[in-house]
Amino acid sequence: MFKINDNFCKLPASYLFSEVARRLAKFKEEHPDKEIIRMGIGDVTRPICPAAIEALHRAADDQACAERFHGYGPEQGYPFLTERIADIDFRARGIEISADEIFVSDGAKSDSGNIGDILSISDKIAVTDPVYPVYIDTNVMAGRAGELGADGRWSGIEYLPCTADNNFIPALPSGNPDVIYLCYPNNPTGTTLTRTQLKQWVDYALEHGSLILFDAAYEAYITETDVPHSIFEIEGARRCAIEFRSFSKTAGFTGLRCGYTVVPKDLYGVDSKGERVSLNHLWNRRQTTKFNGASYVIQRAAEALYTPEGRQQVAENVAYYMRNASLLLNGLRQQGIMAVGGVNSPYIWLKTPEGITSWQFFDKLLNECLVAGTPGVGFGPSGEGYFRLTAFNTHEATIEAVKRIHDLKM
Ligand code: PLP
């Protein structure tokens, strides 16, 4: 009988979102007339901006016409998009990234999950805790995570706690990891690293020969000038980092699917014989073998986001959500609830009242306020005692949620 990859069996069922869904369904059944405001999931609510929609229509018409039809495209992405990305997301900010260091894909989830294909199974991994679950689960699947302990931690992964005790700034690793996942602005905490703080990580990685996998899916939400939009703003990062970007949360592409990954040509790892190997070359090889490129129409829509109108419309979308974030943050703080995030990110991370666990707070908020969020412990052991709210609902729903939370008995 053929064998399966045992590592998949080690993965616990995705307890977080299924348990949230179960509790919401039960509540709905018991209180069919009550309207719940959902501030749990990280999906957007605003439609795709007109510039991208018009480009989608034009690209669909291209596909209907023999002269303009596009079949298989370059696996790395069309130059009309990679050139725009290099110019506007990087060179305009003074960052030297060329189009052939950019790999367009169907999103940051796939790329941050697939990147492990080009890394050794023996690489030691470090993650901040709490964390976007994809980083851990994909390493479990690959066989790098070891065993799951009773404390919710995998034996082969170094966890770097981010809590109020360290102001949500992770300490540098002590276990000499080969690969470090950093996500800034962070999901779920909404916190950031300043340029000076991120430089410490780049310096650490260069000194220890580590690779930083930097997830910048939320960079468009940055409002503060000392927060870097890209790890490549930091000197030396071209030799130690890969960056993931996404059009999901900035332009509402969660359903269209498009993102990109930057793999600099200065980035080298070593093979088992100690020979230096280019990661740009390896990722190119991986993508050309396993991926046939993001679709032409979607890439045309992404290209339109870089026109003056597209950029203006994306900025308006982001501002809409950030208005919600600031309403939420101020509302919580006025009630004496400790909350972070919401300044450079669409996520608000709040401390649950003394003695109340993440799940108890979920029930309390649901029962007393009819507001649903996400229990922090679902993102990792250090998320216990915290709770995530998102700014992705409508403005009206957010105002109503803040009003309801005001009545919460603490
Ligand atoms: N990275 C982070 C940190 C995220 O929170 C998300 C989505 O929630 C993603 C990546 C996924 O992005 P995409 O929609 O481009 O796959």
Side-chain angles (χ1 to χ4, degrees):
M1 187 71 182
F2 66 89
K3 305 276 194 310
I4 53 99
N5 177 350
D6 268 9
N7 297 314
F8 278 67
C9 304
K10 289 186 180 177
L11 282 169
S14 176
Y15 172 71
L16 176 63
F17 290 105
S18 57
E19 181 59 17
V20 165
R22 193 191 66 76
R23 290 191 193 205
L24 290 180
K26 182 164 174 279
F27 185 89
K28 254 322 215 193
E29 202 180 296
E30 288 163 6
H31 311 89
D33 52 322
K34 300 253 168 90
E35 189 72 35
I36 300 168
I37 301 179
R38 291 171 189 256
M39 312 199 95
I41 51 160
D43 203 350
V44 295
T45 48
R46 308 261 298 159
I48 291 165
C49 62
I53 293 295
E54 286 156 21
L56 277 175
H57 283 295
R58 281 195 304 271
D61 288 341
D62 287 348
Q63 296 297 64
C65 153
E67 292 77 39
R68 300 199 308 272
F69 165 77
H70 286 72
Y72 290 126
E75 293 92 342
Q76 303 83 351
Y78 283 99
F80 64 70
L81 179 57
T82 53
E83 299 281 0
R84 300 270 70 197
I85 293 171
D87 279 346
I88 294 176
D89 286 350
F90 296 97
R91 285 189 201 122
R93 289 187 179 276
I95 307 167
E96 206 29 65
I97 291 291
S98 57
D100 57 0
E101 295 175 310
I102 291 161
F103 295 84
V104 175
S105 72
D106 65 344
K109 186 180 195 176
S110 326
D111 286 356
S112 59
N114 290 331
I115 197 76
D117 274 13
I118 62 168
L119 301 174
S120 166
I121 205 77
S122 65
D123 277 341
K124 283 189 289 173
I125 307 296
V127 295
T128 54
D129 172 28
V131 72
Y132 178 52
V134 170
Y135 313 149
I136 292 192
D137 288 1
T138 53
N139 277 293
V140 174
M141 291 172 179
R144 286 190 201 91
E147 300 303 323
L148 183 60
D151 62 353
R153 293 180 174 85
W154 292 88
S155 60
I157 292 183
E158 179 173 0
Y159 289 74
L160 308 167
C162 298
T163 64
D165 293 341
N166 58 11
N167 217 5
F168 303 94
I169 309 297
L172 290 169
S174 57
N176 216 7
D178 302 296
V179 180
I180 303 163
Y181 287 83
L182 294 179
C183 170
Y184 288 101
N186 189 259
N187 175 17
T189 66
T191 57
T192 49
L193 293 182
T194 62
R195 219 164 262 116
T196 314
Q197 287 161 342
L198 187 56
K199 182 176 182 313
Q200 292 175 5
W201 288 84
V202 170
D203 290 347
Y204 173 94
L206 290 172
E207 195 183 318
H208 291 78
S210 325
L211 170 67
I212 297 178
L213 297 176
F214 192 77
D215 189 337
Y218 298 96
E219 74 58 50
Y221 290 84
I222 294 171
T223 60
E224 292 178 321
T225 50
D226 61 346
V227 176
H229 286 253
S230 165
I231 194 166
F232 300 116
E233 287 180 36
I234 314 292
E235 208 196 320
R238 287 183 53 89
R239 286 180 283 123
C240 67
I242 287 175
E243 181 164 299
F244 305 105
R245 294 272 189 114
S246 170
F247 297 108
S248 284
K249 309 301 164 80
T250 51
F253 275 37
T254 49
L256 283 186
R257 308 303 308 142
C258 197
Y260 65 87
T261 290
V262 184
V263 190
K265 285 186 275 182
D266 301 353
L267 181 62
Y268 285 80
V270 288
D271 67 14
S272 53
K273 295 183 215 86
E275 301 287 334
R276 276 160 53 87
V277 180
S278 153
L279 266 72
N280 179 283
H281 176 78
L282 284 190
W283 186 243
N284 190 49
R285 191 72 177 88
R286 191 262 172 215
Q287 291 297 82
T288 50
T289 303
K290 290 197 181 182
F291 184 59
N292 252 336
S295 97
Y296 167 73
V297 279
I298 304 298
Q299 290 191 66
R300 281 291 186 202
E303 178 195 22
L305 303 174
Y306 291 95
T307 59
E309 312 78 65
R311 296 179 75 186
Q312 174 66 25
Q313 291 160 7
V314 167
E316 282 163 16
N317 256 347
V318 169
Y320 179 95
Y321 294 129
M322 288 309 279
R323 207 164 131 219
N324 290 347
S326 129
L327 274 171
L328 272 170
L329 188 63
N330 293 335
L332 291 166
R333 286 184 176 165
Q334 270 164 24
Q335 267 178 274
I337 297 176
M338 196 229 91
V340 292
V343 176
N344 297 298
S345 116
Y347 294 120
I348 314 284
W349 187 246
L350 64 95
K351 179 108 191 68
T352 61
E354 197 56 38
I356 298 186
T357 66
S358 294
W359 279 110
Q360 286 166 343
F361 191 77
F362 175 90
D363 290 333
K364 188 172 164 66
L365 202 62
L366 182 60
N367 285 297
E368 291 180 27
C369 308
L370 302 175
V371 172
T374 313
V377 70
F379 297 99
S382 297
E384 181 55 283
Y386 293 89
F387 197 78
R388 192 189 76 174
L389 291 173
T390 84
F392 287 131
N393 213 316
T394 62
H395 197 51
E396 295 70 27
T398 307
I399 292 174
E400 176 60 23
V402 171
K403 259 197 236 151
R404 292 187 191 176
I405 294 174
H406 196 70
D407 298 331
L408 190 70
K409 292 179 213 66
M410 302 287 287

